[in-house]
Short mmCIF file of all heavy atoms in Angstrom, two decimals:
data_model
loop_
_atom_site.label_atom_id
_atom_site.label_comp_id
_atom_site.label_asym_id
_atom_site.label_seq_id
_atom_site.Cartn_x
_atom_site.Cartn_y
_atom_site.Cartn_z
N ASN A 307 -12.76 16.46 -67.49
CA ASN A 307 -11.37 16.07 -67.57
C ASN A 307 -11.11 14.76 -66.88
O ASN A 307 -10.36 13.91 -67.39
CB ASN A 307 -10.48 17.19 -66.93
CG ASN A 307 -10.06 18.22 -67.95
OD1 ASN A 307 -8.98 18.13 -68.52
ND2 ASN A 307 -10.94 19.17 -68.19
N ILE A 308 -11.71 14.61 -65.73
CA ILE A 308 -11.41 13.38 -65.00
C ILE A 308 -12.07 12.20 -65.72
O ILE A 308 -11.47 11.08 -65.75
CB ILE A 308 -11.91 13.49 -63.53
CG1 ILE A 308 -11.05 12.69 -62.61
CG2 ILE A 308 -13.34 13.19 -63.33
CD1 ILE A 308 -11.29 12.92 -61.16
N ALA A 309 -13.22 12.40 -66.32
CA ALA A 309 -13.86 11.31 -67.04
C ALA A 309 -13.08 10.96 -68.29
O ALA A 309 -12.82 9.77 -68.57
CB ALA A 309 -15.31 11.74 -67.42
N VAL A 310 -12.69 11.95 -69.04
CA VAL A 310 -11.93 11.72 -70.27
C VAL A 310 -10.59 11.04 -69.94
O VAL A 310 -10.19 10.07 -70.58
CB VAL A 310 -11.73 13.03 -71.06
CG1 VAL A 310 -10.72 12.84 -72.16
CG2 VAL A 310 -13.02 13.52 -71.62
N GLY A 311 -9.91 11.60 -68.96
CA GLY A 311 -8.60 11.03 -68.61
C GLY A 311 -8.71 9.56 -68.20
O GLY A 311 -7.88 8.77 -68.61
N THR A 312 -9.71 9.26 -67.36
CA THR A 312 -9.84 7.87 -66.89
C THR A 312 -10.20 6.94 -68.02
O THR A 312 -9.62 5.85 -68.17
CB THR A 312 -10.94 7.82 -65.80
OG1 THR A 312 -10.65 8.81 -64.81
CG2 THR A 312 -10.97 6.49 -65.15
N CYS A 313 -11.19 7.32 -68.83
CA CYS A 313 -11.61 6.47 -69.95
C CYS A 313 -10.46 6.21 -70.92
O CYS A 313 -10.24 5.09 -71.38
CB CYS A 313 -12.78 7.09 -70.69
SG CYS A 313 -14.33 7.01 -69.72
N ALA A 314 -9.73 7.28 -71.21
CA ALA A 314 -8.64 7.11 -72.16
C ALA A 314 -7.51 6.25 -71.56
O ALA A 314 -6.90 5.47 -72.29
CB ALA A 314 -8.07 8.51 -72.54
N LEU A 315 -7.30 6.37 -70.29
CA LEU A 315 -6.23 5.61 -69.65
C LEU A 315 -6.51 4.12 -69.65
O LEU A 315 -5.62 3.28 -69.75
CB LEU A 315 -6.01 6.13 -68.21
CG LEU A 315 -4.78 5.62 -67.48
CD1 LEU A 315 -4.25 6.76 -66.65
CD2 LEU A 315 -5.09 4.46 -66.61
N LEU A 316 -7.81 3.77 -69.54
CA LEU A 316 -8.19 2.37 -69.49
C LEU A 316 -7.72 1.64 -70.74
O LEU A 316 -7.41 0.43 -70.71
CB LEU A 316 -9.70 2.24 -69.40
CG LEU A 316 -10.33 2.49 -68.01
CD1 LEU A 316 -11.81 2.44 -68.09
CD2 LEU A 316 -9.80 1.47 -66.99
N LEU A 317 -7.74 2.34 -71.88
CA LEU A 317 -7.43 1.66 -73.12
C LEU A 317 -6.03 2.01 -73.64
O LEU A 317 -5.70 1.60 -74.74
CB LEU A 317 -8.46 2.08 -74.16
CG LEU A 317 -9.86 1.62 -73.83
CD1 LEU A 317 -10.85 2.30 -74.74
CD2 LEU A 317 -10.00 0.14 -73.97
N GLU A 318 -5.30 2.76 -72.84
CA GLU A 318 -4.03 3.26 -73.38
C GLU A 318 -3.01 2.12 -73.40
O GLU A 318 -2.82 1.40 -72.43
CB GLU A 318 -3.52 4.38 -72.45
CG GLU A 318 -2.34 5.13 -73.03
CD GLU A 318 -2.60 5.62 -74.40
OE1 GLU A 318 -3.50 6.46 -74.57
OE2 GLU A 318 -1.93 5.14 -75.34
N LYS A 319 -2.39 2.04 -74.55
CA LYS A 319 -1.37 0.99 -74.72
C LYS A 319 0.02 1.53 -74.75
O LYS A 319 0.98 0.78 -74.77
CB LYS A 319 -1.64 0.18 -76.02
CG LYS A 319 -2.88 -0.69 -75.93
CD LYS A 319 -2.99 -1.60 -77.12
CE LYS A 319 -4.17 -2.53 -77.00
NZ LYS A 319 -4.10 -3.45 -75.88
N GLU A 320 0.18 2.85 -74.82
CA GLU A 320 1.47 3.43 -74.91
C GLU A 320 1.90 3.95 -73.50
O GLU A 320 1.16 4.65 -72.85
CB GLU A 320 1.50 4.57 -75.89
CG GLU A 320 1.36 4.11 -77.31
CD GLU A 320 1.61 5.23 -78.32
OE1 GLU A 320 2.22 6.25 -77.90
OE2 GLU A 320 1.25 5.05 -79.45
N LEU A 321 3.13 3.57 -73.14
CA LEU A 321 3.61 3.92 -71.83
C LEU A 321 3.70 5.43 -71.62
O LEU A 321 3.37 5.97 -70.57
CB LEU A 321 5.01 3.30 -71.68
CG LEU A 321 5.45 2.96 -70.27
CD1 LEU A 321 4.49 1.99 -69.63
CD2 LEU A 321 6.80 2.32 -70.33
N SER A 322 4.12 6.11 -72.70
CA SER A 322 4.31 7.59 -72.59
C SER A 322 2.98 8.29 -72.38
O SER A 322 2.87 9.19 -71.57
CB SER A 322 4.97 8.11 -73.84
OG SER A 322 4.27 7.75 -74.98
N ALA A 323 1.99 7.85 -73.11
CA ALA A 323 0.68 8.51 -73.00
C ALA A 323 0.04 8.33 -71.64
O ALA A 323 -0.85 9.08 -71.24
CB ALA A 323 -0.25 8.03 -74.11
N LEU A 324 0.45 7.27 -70.98
CA LEU A 324 -0.09 6.98 -69.63
C LEU A 324 0.11 8.17 -68.69
O LEU A 324 -0.81 8.64 -68.01
CB LEU A 324 0.69 5.80 -69.10
CG LEU A 324 -0.01 4.95 -68.07
CD1 LEU A 324 -1.14 4.23 -68.73
CD2 LEU A 324 0.97 3.91 -67.49
N LEU A 325 1.34 8.72 -68.70
CA LEU A 325 1.63 9.85 -67.85
C LEU A 325 0.77 11.06 -68.23
O LEU A 325 0.32 11.83 -67.38
CB LEU A 325 3.10 10.23 -67.94
CG LEU A 325 4.09 9.16 -67.44
CD1 LEU A 325 5.51 9.55 -67.73
CD2 LEU A 325 3.91 8.94 -65.93
N ALA A 326 0.53 11.19 -69.54
CA ALA A 326 -0.31 12.33 -69.99
C ALA A 326 -1.71 12.21 -69.44
O ALA A 326 -2.29 13.17 -68.91
CB ALA A 326 -0.31 12.37 -71.53
N TRP A 327 -2.28 11.02 -69.53
CA TRP A 327 -3.68 10.88 -69.07
C TRP A 327 -3.77 10.94 -67.56
O TRP A 327 -4.78 11.46 -67.04
CB TRP A 327 -4.28 9.57 -69.59
CG TRP A 327 -4.46 9.55 -71.09
CD1 TRP A 327 -3.85 8.73 -71.96
CD2 TRP A 327 -5.23 10.46 -71.87
NE1 TRP A 327 -4.21 9.01 -73.26
CE2 TRP A 327 -5.07 10.11 -73.22
CE3 TRP A 327 -6.06 11.54 -71.57
CZ2 TRP A 327 -5.71 10.77 -74.26
CZ3 TRP A 327 -6.67 12.23 -72.59
CH2 TRP A 327 -6.53 11.85 -73.92
N ILE A 328 -2.75 10.48 -66.85
CA ILE A 328 -2.76 10.64 -65.40
C ILE A 328 -2.75 12.11 -65.05
O ILE A 328 -3.50 12.55 -64.18
CB ILE A 328 -1.56 9.90 -64.76
CG1 ILE A 328 -1.66 8.41 -64.94
CG2 ILE A 328 -1.45 10.25 -63.27
CD1 ILE A 328 -0.46 7.63 -64.43
N THR A 329 -1.92 12.87 -65.75
CA THR A 329 -1.84 14.30 -65.51
C THR A 329 -3.16 15.00 -65.76
O THR A 329 -3.66 15.80 -64.96
CB THR A 329 -0.73 14.95 -66.38
OG1 THR A 329 0.45 14.22 -66.20
CG2 THR A 329 -0.53 16.39 -66.00
N ILE A 330 -3.81 14.64 -66.88
CA ILE A 330 -5.09 15.25 -67.20
C ILE A 330 -6.16 14.91 -66.18
O ILE A 330 -6.97 15.74 -65.78
CB ILE A 330 -5.54 14.84 -68.61
CG1 ILE A 330 -4.62 15.52 -69.67
CG2 ILE A 330 -6.99 15.19 -68.88
CD1 ILE A 330 -4.80 15.02 -71.07
N THR A 331 -6.11 13.67 -65.70
CA THR A 331 -7.06 13.27 -64.66
C THR A 331 -6.84 14.07 -63.39
O THR A 331 -7.79 14.53 -62.75
CB THR A 331 -6.88 11.77 -64.34
OG1 THR A 331 -6.97 11.03 -65.53
CG2 THR A 331 -7.93 11.28 -63.37
N GLN A 332 -5.58 14.27 -63.02
CA GLN A 332 -5.28 15.03 -61.81
C GLN A 332 -5.64 16.51 -61.98
O GLN A 332 -6.07 17.17 -61.00
CB GLN A 332 -3.79 14.85 -61.40
CG GLN A 332 -3.48 13.45 -61.01
CD GLN A 332 -4.36 12.96 -59.89
OE1 GLN A 332 -4.61 13.65 -58.90
NE2 GLN A 332 -4.81 11.74 -59.99
N VAL A 333 -5.45 17.06 -63.18
CA VAL A 333 -5.86 18.42 -63.45
C VAL A 333 -7.38 18.53 -63.28
O VAL A 333 -7.89 19.48 -62.71
CB VAL A 333 -5.42 18.86 -64.85
CG1 VAL A 333 -6.10 20.14 -65.25
CG2 VAL A 333 -3.93 19.03 -64.91
N GLY A 334 -8.09 17.52 -63.73
CA GLY A 334 -9.55 17.50 -63.56
C GLY A 334 -9.91 17.52 -62.09
O GLY A 334 -10.82 18.24 -61.66
N LEU A 335 -9.20 16.70 -61.27
CA LEU A 335 -9.45 16.68 -59.84
C LEU A 335 -9.18 18.06 -59.21
O LEU A 335 -9.91 18.52 -58.32
CB LEU A 335 -8.55 15.59 -59.20
CG LEU A 335 -8.91 15.18 -57.81
CD1 LEU A 335 -10.29 14.55 -57.73
CD2 LEU A 335 -7.87 14.21 -57.27
N SER A 336 -8.15 18.70 -59.71
CA SER A 336 -7.84 20.05 -59.20
C SER A 336 -8.92 21.04 -59.56
O SER A 336 -9.31 21.89 -58.72
CB SER A 336 -6.51 20.53 -59.79
OG SER A 336 -5.49 19.61 -59.51
N MET A 337 -9.48 20.94 -60.75
CA MET A 337 -10.57 21.84 -61.14
C MET A 337 -11.82 21.58 -60.28
O MET A 337 -12.54 22.53 -59.89
CB MET A 337 -10.93 21.63 -62.61
CG MET A 337 -9.86 22.11 -63.58
SD MET A 337 -9.58 23.91 -63.50
CE MET A 337 -7.92 23.92 -62.85
N ILE A 338 -12.04 20.32 -59.97
CA ILE A 338 -13.17 19.98 -59.08
C ILE A 338 -12.96 20.61 -57.71
O ILE A 338 -13.89 21.17 -57.07
CB ILE A 338 -13.31 18.45 -58.95
CG1 ILE A 338 -13.86 17.90 -60.27
CG2 ILE A 338 -14.25 18.06 -57.82
CD1 ILE A 338 -13.83 16.36 -60.34
N ALA A 339 -11.74 20.55 -57.23
CA ALA A 339 -11.42 21.14 -55.94
C ALA A 339 -11.65 22.66 -55.95
O ALA A 339 -12.22 23.22 -55.02
CB ALA A 339 -9.96 20.88 -55.56
N LEU A 340 -11.24 23.28 -57.05
CA LEU A 340 -11.45 24.75 -57.15
C LEU A 340 -12.95 25.07 -57.24
O LEU A 340 -13.40 26.00 -56.60
CB LEU A 340 -10.77 25.28 -58.42
CG LEU A 340 -9.25 25.54 -58.29
CD1 LEU A 340 -8.68 25.85 -59.66
CD2 LEU A 340 -8.97 26.68 -57.33
N GLY A 341 -13.66 24.31 -57.99
CA GLY A 341 -15.07 24.56 -58.17
C GLY A 341 -15.92 24.29 -56.96
O GLY A 341 -17.03 24.81 -56.83
N SER A 342 -15.44 23.42 -56.04
CA SER A 342 -16.23 23.03 -54.88
C SER A 342 -16.39 24.18 -53.92
O SER A 342 -17.42 24.28 -53.23
CB SER A 342 -15.56 21.86 -54.14
OG SER A 342 -15.48 20.75 -55.03
N GLY A 343 -15.37 25.04 -53.82
CA GLY A 343 -15.49 26.19 -52.96
C GLY A 343 -15.55 25.89 -51.49
O GLY A 343 -16.13 26.63 -50.69
N HIS A 344 -14.98 24.77 -51.09
CA HIS A 344 -14.99 24.41 -49.68
C HIS A 344 -13.56 24.49 -49.15
O HIS A 344 -12.60 24.28 -49.87
CB HIS A 344 -15.53 22.96 -49.57
CG HIS A 344 -15.88 22.57 -48.18
ND1 HIS A 344 -15.00 21.92 -47.37
CD2 HIS A 344 -17.00 22.72 -47.47
CE1 HIS A 344 -15.58 21.70 -46.22
NE2 HIS A 344 -16.82 22.17 -46.26
N GLU A 345 -13.46 24.77 -47.86
CA GLU A 345 -12.12 24.92 -47.29
C GLU A 345 -11.30 23.62 -47.42
O GLU A 345 -10.13 23.63 -47.78
CB GLU A 345 -12.25 25.26 -45.80
CG GLU A 345 -10.91 25.52 -45.16
CD GLU A 345 -11.02 25.46 -43.64
OE1 GLU A 345 -11.98 25.97 -43.09
OE2 GLU A 345 -10.13 24.86 -43.02
N SER A 346 -11.96 22.49 -47.19
CA SER A 346 -11.25 21.22 -47.30
C SER A 346 -10.74 21.00 -48.70
O SER A 346 -9.60 20.54 -48.91
CB SER A 346 -12.17 20.03 -46.93
OG SER A 346 -12.59 20.16 -45.61
N SER A 347 -11.56 21.34 -49.67
CA SER A 347 -11.15 21.15 -51.07
C SER A 347 -9.96 22.02 -51.41
O SER A 347 -9.04 21.61 -52.11
CB SER A 347 -12.26 21.50 -52.03
OG SER A 347 -13.38 20.71 -51.82
#
Side-chain angles (χ1 to χ4, degrees):
Chain A
N307 270 265
I308 211 171
V310 168
T312 309
C313 287
L315 192 142
L316 282 176
L317 296 168
E318 191 53 65
K319 289 190 178 296
E320 290 191 16
L321 208 57
S322 55
L324 207 67
L325 296 173
W327 293 119
I328 292 174
T329 308
I330 289 170
T331 308
Q332 294 305 316
V333 167
L335 195 62
S336 304
M337 291 296 113
I338 289 171
L340 278 171
S342 299
H344 192 267
E345 183 199 318
S346 298
S347 301

